[in-house]
């Protein structure tokens, strides 16, 4: 099986041409785990299969490193664009890519005949809790045996979850929840550089208020146009970048009145520019895509 290792700001995936490589759906989760292992495999944050599609120019079939299916990846979809153009699967510089039934529209920017960066229309942010999903904490009630337990509801009827308290490992944080096709909780902090993310990240990811687990962005606002972000991705752990996380972060910044509508997000692996066109309610992401190496897995 031929593959291409690619990354967007250090968020690296293994890309497989689904037009030519035929792998059954049953085989994929285990194969993804083997390929993504950084010691015994190729190494990556996950695997993306690029497939034919009747509803768009291409399909992006994305898996996390643990073999679980994921809905969307901003860095991954930019690399899909580079893959299909550089390998001659398309000659268009405006393409559509579908992932889990949702279509994104991409504009490709070339340098010396190859894709250098990509602008993605990521669509409208979803703020309604039941569609993220995140449950709403409604208070405390008696369990009937004298104990007090938290009560959670689906959040139906709530328009948004902005600056919402959540208790993790006995400490209260404030989160703003956004879906960009996948679920995100954005947490603002004064210092993210020294954050022990490997300790707190899993507790956010698997918190009972997130039925489908959660991607968590820990964010420091530097000024009205710049933020610093670290991310814990569900099914993978900390990654050097997360495109959808950048989108969710900027939406959260704007909703909390912290930044302008166009923001540069500084990540461990580079920088991504995000714009939220609030009049059209569309989020645009612009960033690089690069090939690391190619090979063949036997």
């Amino acid at each position: 099986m031929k593959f291409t290792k690619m990354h967007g700001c250090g968020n690296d995936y293994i890309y497989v041409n689904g037009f030519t490589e035929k792998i059954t759906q049953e085989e994929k989760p285990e194969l993804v785990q083997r390929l993504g292992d950084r010691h015994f495999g190729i190494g990556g944050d996950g695997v993306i299969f690029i497939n034919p599609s009747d509803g768009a120019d291409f399909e992006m079939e994305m898996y996390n490193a643990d073999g679980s299916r994921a809905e969307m990846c901003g860095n991954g979809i930019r690399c899909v664009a580079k893959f299909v153009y550089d390998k001659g699967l398309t000659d268009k510089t405006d393409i559509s890519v579908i992932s889990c039934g949702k279509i994104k529209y991409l504009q490709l920017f070339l340098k010396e005949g190859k894709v250098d960066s990509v602008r993605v229309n990521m669509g409208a942010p979803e703020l309604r809790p039941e569609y993220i999903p995140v449950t709403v904490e409604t208070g405390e009630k008696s369990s009937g045996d004298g104990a007090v337990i938290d009560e959670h509801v689906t959040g139906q009827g709530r328009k948004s979850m902005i600056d919402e308290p959540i208790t993790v490992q006995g400490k209260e944080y404030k989160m703003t929840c956004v879906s960009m096709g996948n679920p995100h909780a954005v947490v603002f902090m004064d210092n993210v550089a020294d954050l022990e993310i490997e300790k707190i990240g899993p507790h956010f990811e698997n918190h009972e208020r997130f039925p489908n687990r959660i991607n968590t962005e820990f964010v420091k606002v530097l000024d009205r146009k710049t933020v610093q972000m670290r991310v814990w991705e569900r099914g993978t752990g900390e990654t050097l970048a997360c495109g959808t996380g950048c989108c969710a972060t900027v939406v959260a910044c704007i909703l909390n009145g912290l930044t302008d509508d166009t923001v540069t997000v500084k990540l461990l692996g580079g920088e991504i520019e995000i714009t939220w066109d609030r009049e059209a309610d569309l989020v645009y992401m612009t960033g690089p895509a690069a090939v690391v190496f190619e090979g063949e897995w036997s």
Side-chain angles (χ1 to χ4, degrees):
M1 183 190 76
K2 294 181 179 179
F3 68 88
T4 302
K5 174 79 176 285
M6 305 179 74
H7 78 91
C9 291
N11 191 193
D12 58 338
Y13 286 86
I14 300 153
Y15 293 79
V16 178
N17 186 343
F19 288 80
T20 57
E21 305 291 345
K22 303 303 178 183
I23 302 158
T24 67
Q25 296 302 118
E26 293 74 21
E27 292 177 295
K28 285 179 179 177
E30 182 182 355
L31 176 63
V32 166
Q33 294 179 57
R34 291 169 58 202
L35 294 176
D37 191 294
R38 295 189 184 276
H39 299 287
F40 298 102
I42 299 164
D45 292 328
V47 178
I48 292 176
F49 298 90
I50 302 171
N51 304 323
S53 171
D54 294 329
D57 292 320
F58 302 95
E59 181 199 25
M60 179 175 81
E61 182 186 354
M62 176 193 168
Y63 291 83
N64 298 315
D66 66 356
S68 61
R69 185 74 190 273
E71 303 94 338
M72 176 50 58
C73 174
N75 293 308
I77 202 170
R78 294 200 314 273
C79 289
V80 168
K82 180 173 177 61
F83 185 102
V84 298
Y85 186 89
D86 289 2
K87 290 188 172 296
L89 299 180
T90 183
D91 59 0
K92 299 191 297 183
T93 54
D94 290 280
I95 65 171
S96 60
V97 177
I98 191 169
S99 179
C100 286
K102 296 185 178 180
I103 299 177
K104 305 299 181 189
Y105 298 92
L106 295 76
Q107 183 180 7
L108 286 54
F109 301 103
L110 307 182
K111 183 177 181 180
E112 297 179 354
K114 294 185 179 295
V115 172
D116 179 61
S117 63
V118 180
R119 186 175 193 247
V120 187
N121 178 347
M122 295 293 290
E126 176 60 71
L127 303 177
R128 293 171 294 177
E130 66 268 30
Y131 293 106
I132 291 173
V134 52
T135 60
V136 176
E137 193 170 64
T138 60
E140 296 181 328
K141 67 176 182 178
S142 172
S143 65
D145 58 2
V148 174
I149 60 174
D150 288 332
E151 180 183 8
H152 302 287
V153 297
T154 60
Q156 198 159 1
R158 282 281 296 271
K159 292 184 178 180
S160 61
M161 193 83 75
I162 301 172
D163 201 32
E164 176 84 5
I166 182 173
T167 300
V168 180
Q169 289 292 95
K171 181 178 178 180
E172 183 176 281
Y173 298 84
K174 293 293 185 70
M175 65 177 180
T176 297
C177 296
V178 181
S179 174
M180 293 302 308
N182 55 357
H184 295 270
V186 180
V187 179
F188 295 104
M189 295 182 159
D190 294 330
N191 179 8
V192 298
D194 298 324
L195 176 68
E196 293 182 304
I197 195 171
E198 69 283 351
K199 292 184 179 180
I200 191 64
H203 294 288
F204 269 94
E205 176 184 353
N206 298 291
H207 196 281
E208 61 182 347
R209 293 184 65 182
F210 307 117
N212 296 339
R213 297 187 295 169
I214 199 76
N215 303 289
T216 311
E217 287 72 40
F218 301 95
V219 180
K220 179 181 180 179
V221 177
L222 302 178
D223 55 48
R224 296 287 302 180
K225 297 182 182 297
T226 318
V227 301
Q228 181 184 8
M229 184 189 104
R230 290 176 67 186
V231 58
W232 183 271
E233 293 197 52
R234 59 176 181 170
T236 300
E238 183 174 24
T239 61
L240 298 184
C242 175
T244 55
C246 290
C247 295
T249 288
V250 173
V251 169
C253 286
I254 295 167
L255 290 173
N256 285 279
L258 301 174
T259 66
D260 297 339
D261 292 354
T262 296
V263 177
T264 297
V265 182
K266 293 181 175 292
L267 305 149
L268 294 178
E271 298 182 356
I272 295 176
E273 183 182 274
I274 307 295
T275 298
W276 185 15
D277 182 342
R278 285 192 276 174
E279 184 175 348
D281 196 23
L282 295 173
V283 178
Y284 293 91
M285 171 192 63
T286 304
V291 173
V292 183
F293 62 86
E294 295 186 309
E296 190 166 341
W297 177 271
S298 59

